[in-house]
Amino acid sequence: MTAHAAARRRITAAFADAGVTGQLHAVDIDTGTALGIGSDTLVPTASVHKICLVATLYRQSSLGLVDPTRPVDIPAIRAEDRAPGATGLSVMRDAARLSLRDLASLAVAVSDNTAADLLWDALGLDTVNATMTGLGLTRTHAVQTMRELFATLREDAAGEPAALTDPAVVARLRALDPTRTNRSTPREITALLAAVWRDEVCPGEYGEELRALLGLQAWSHRLAAGFPFDDVRVSGKTGSLPTLRHEAGVVEYPDGGRYAVAVFTRAASTDVTLPAADAVIGGAARIAVDALRA
């Protein structure tokens, strides 16, 4: 059995032990050597799609089409008009003014859904999709903003949040169907991240700022948990919906090794809190990266 085959077997076993099914793709950014499980499976991206959103902002900025410092006036937002979320502008009540790039920082750092929607409004779904297509990511496609995505959850649950833990309700959620929501594949998400780290999305200071922004994420219980070392840098973006726990990011070692990893999982349980399902994202990524480094 080859090292990569052994790694795939270990990852599959880890997913099963954590009570999830999963897809993974990991690639050495500099050599192109890759390892995957279900790498070309179409998956609902949830908040991982915010990587596509902020990458578009910086690509458009590098082309002189958008000023990332342009201020956006944010009126006081009624709770019923905000995209749901537990952080950032999604829980703020008063008016504010932020630049486009600061909205991007909030969208990544704390997965602020309202900040992301202000970016979607400024850039447009079509621009984000055209940017992904232009980068060769033909299966990466957005069909809705965050507020529109959460509206489908409310509709499909008949307005009862508690219903989102009912397996029968979860089974019919449009937000979990990659043919009816924002979508991509593990391979395409790692291709996007690799392009960001190779300065192929936007060069120079724009690329540097985009990479720095993707390193702001506050959550460390998924991908970063697999790499608990002071000298290893993990940049990434999580995504969560009922039964779904995802993360995609880049792992950088002090010897110069750079690895883009995307892990998408779906739990058998509808419980909101499943620590093993969160932890397996980092564990599976670590197995994959170790195999690539070997």
Side-chain angles (χ1 to χ4, degrees):
M1 182 183 296
T2 67
H4 281 202
R8 283 191 288 270
R9 174 177 280 187
R10 289 178 62 200
I11 292 166
T12 300
F15 283 154
D17 287 344
V20 305
T21 55
Q23 297 80 37
L24 173 148
H25 193 256
V27 61
D28 185 317
I29 290 172
D30 298 298
T31 70
T33 304
L35 183 154
I37 296 174
S39 299
D40 298 309
T41 302
L42 201 63
V43 293
T45 45
S47 282
V48 170
H49 220 99
K50 291 169 185 170
I51 299 173
C52 307
L53 179 62
V54 299
T56 297
L57 171 65
Y58 278 88
R59 187 169 177 85
Q60 292 286 101
S61 298
S62 72
L63 296 171
L65 300 174
V66 172
D67 177 2
T69 68
R70 176 167 69 83
V72 177
D73 287 315
I74 305 159
I77 307 172
R78 297 182 305 166
E80 58 269 29
D81 294 334
R82 301 181 200 132
T87 59
L89 295 173
S90 291
V91 295
M92 300 304 168
R93 291 166 292 181
D94 299 322
R97 171 178 281 193
L98 291 172
S99 67
L100 291 173
R101 65 182 179 181
D102 282 344
L103 291 171
S105 295
L106 284 172
V108 171
V110 293
S111 204
D112 185 338
N113 291 326
T114 295
D117 277 344
L118 290 164
L119 283 177
W120 283 117
D121 293 343
L123 297 172
L125 290 167
D126 290 345
T127 299
V128 176
N129 289 331
T131 299
M132 296 302 105
T133 300
L135 292 168
L137 309 177
T138 58
R139 303 184 72 199
T140 300
H141 192 75
V143 301
Q144 56 200 170
T145 64
M146 299 308 295
R147 60 179 169 271
E148 290 167 345
L149 185 156
F150 281 97
T152 71
L153 288 180
R154 288 193 298 271
E155 292 166 8
D156 293 343
E160 294 293 337
L164 294 175
T165 59
D166 180 340
V169 173
V170 169
R172 66 171 183 257
L173 295 179
R174 285 168 284 172
L176 308 189
D177 181 351
T179 67
R180 297 193 288 175
T181 190
N182 299 343
R183 55 189 175 265
S184 186
T185 68
R187 189 189 304 273
E188 289 206 352
I189 291 296
T190 58
L192 173 58
L193 288 165
V196 170
W197 258 254
R198 290 195 299 258
D199 268 353
E200 294 168 0
V201 172
C202 48
E205 63 181 298
Y206 294 101
E208 291 175 6
E209 189 168 310
L210 175 55
R211 289 187 291 274
L213 185 152
L214 289 169
L216 295 176
Q217 180 171 247
W219 320 134
S220 59
H221 62 309
R222 291 184 183 170
L223 185 60
F227 305 89
F229 312 110
D230 289 343
D231 57 354
V232 175
R233 177 177 174 80
V234 179
S235 306
K237 182 69 201 75
T238 60
S240 304
L241 285 171
T243 71
L244 301 188
R245 291 165 180 81
H246 307 328
E247 187 160 356
V250 170
V251 181
E252 299 176 89
Y253 279 75
D255 63 6
R258 308 184 297 174
Y259 310 89
V261 188
V263 185
F264 293 84
T265 73
R266 183 163 185 172
S269 171
T270 60
D271 289 352
V272 174
T273 302
L274 291 172
D278 288 316
V280 78
I281 292 173
R286 175 69 180 278
I287 294 169
V289 169
D290 282 351
L292 293 178
R293 287 177 64 77

